[in-house]
Amino acid sequence: MASAATVAVLLGGCGAGDDKTAEPSPSASARSSSGTPSGSGSPTASASTGSGSTSGSGSTPLTPFEADPAAVPRTKAQAEALVKAVTLRPEGWGADFRAQQPAESAPGTAAVLDEQCRWQRQALPQGVLASLSLYSALPAVKGKGELKVTAAVTVHSTVLDADEQLATTLEEALRCPVQQVRTDEQIAGLQSVGTPYGQGGNGYADDQVLEIGSYLSADGQQTYRWDVVRLGTVDVAVSVKGAAGWTVDELTQRMSQGVTTMLSRLEFELGGKS
């Protein structure tokens, strides 16, 4: 398991950018004709368990974590229990964090970016067993504005489905560089970068996609970052919407904290060896 500092270095090397109330879309649309994701560049695992595949020699794993197959969710009930155990609630971010309103996503739904580049929640698509997003905020204090964060976990039926989600996430910034979050809120100037396991300092997840840009609302323009990582059939995501007085480094540290905490919880729940 990578330290928060390691994740922060990886994230920080990508430059500056809500809390996307609509988290990473599990309704993947990036499968190529051969059945493999076209966008993320990650090593495509074929198993429907929680770990990646091995190299041609059969000795070098292409994943940083091997889950206990018996612990990998295979039913909606198992997946729902996992997302509740892993997703960060306000107290997981820090003692002063509070729940936003709404505090969590509607049950049985997932965030989807439609053809008009608007984020909406829809019924869970095929291949998704469960998805949960929790919205937290650190109230404004001592010259710093209110910091909003989102923690999201999505459990898929197969590794391929989970990998597709990251491929779709990577491509969405290209398809929709400006995205409508709410009626009066947008994310703009979006750029994304994918970092498969073993590349660019990623030694902690099967795949990772970072999205950066600006969050536009009545309060003006603020830094926005969104990080999505995959371990086996599970995608973990954290978004951070900056506010007055917050530096990019501080936002990166907050995001890396959320990612590493949820990955640690996920590894514990899946009972594997890292």
Side-chain angles (χ1 to χ4, degrees), residues 166 204-205 207-209 227-231 234-237 259 263:
L166 267 78
Y204 57 90
D207 204 357
Q208 183 258 4
V209 172
D227 189 38
V228 190
V229 299
R230 177 179 70 81
L231 274 184
V234 184
D235 293 319
V236 170
V259 171
L263 283 180

Side-chain angles (χ1 to χ4, degrees), residues 30-248:
R31 180 177 293 172
S32 69
S33 60
S34 63
T36 59
S38 60
S40 72
S42 65
T44 302
S46 59
S48 59
T49 60
S51 63
S53 63
T54 59
S55 67
S57 65
S59 60
T60 304
L62 297 180
T63 177
F65 178 78
E66 296 182 19
D68 177 356
V72 177
R74 301 181 186 282
T75 68
K76 289 186 178 296
Q78 292 170 340
E80 289 170 356
L82 180 65
V83 297
K84 290 178 181 178
V86 174
T87 312
L88 274 182
R89 298 187 178 278
E91 59 272 19
W93 290 98
D96 295 328
F97 276 81
R98 301 290 182 266
Q100 295 187 49
Q101 295 300 324
E104 62 183 75
S105 55
T109 67
V112 176
L113 187 64
D114 67 18
E115 294 302 316
Q116 287 73 47
C117 298
R118 299 172 302 187
W119 282 98
Q120 302 186 42
R121 296 205 69 87
Q122 299 180 6
L124 293 178
Q126 185 176 2
V128 175
L129 295 176
S131 185
L132 175 64
S133 299
L134 298 178
Y135 314 115
S136 305
L138 182 63
V141 65
K142 296 181 180 179
K144 290 188 174 183
E146 182 183 44
L147 178 68
K148 295 182 179 181
V149 295
T150 296
V153 177
T154 301
V155 180
H156 300 263
S157 300
T158 68
V159 169
L160 180 59
D161 288 328
D163 203 27
E164 269 195 351
Q165 176 176 331
L166 267 78
T168 300
T169 299
L170 186 64
E171 294 176 348
E172 281 174 339
L174 297 174
R175 178 171 71 88
C176 296
V178 177
Q179 300 173 7
Q180 196 75 34
V181 179
R182 297 186 180 90
T183 302
D184 58 347
E185 297 179 349
Q186 289 183 331
I187 298 169
L190 292 176
Q191 301 178 56
S192 61
V193 60
T195 311
Y197 172 59
Q199 298 182 23
N202 178 7
Y204 57 90
D206 292 322
D207 204 357
Q208 183 258 4
V209 172
L210 174 66
E211 190 172 277
I212 63 176
S214 298
Y215 193 88
L216 311 176
S217 69
D219 295 328
Q221 178 175 313
Q222 298 293 344
T223 298
Y224 157 77
R225 286 195 173 199
W226 182 29
D227 189 38
V228 190
V229 299
R230 177 179 70 81
L231 274 184
T233 60
V234 184
D235 293 319
V236 170
V238 169
S239 70
V240 178
K241 189 205 98 170
W246 288 90
T247 67
V248 171

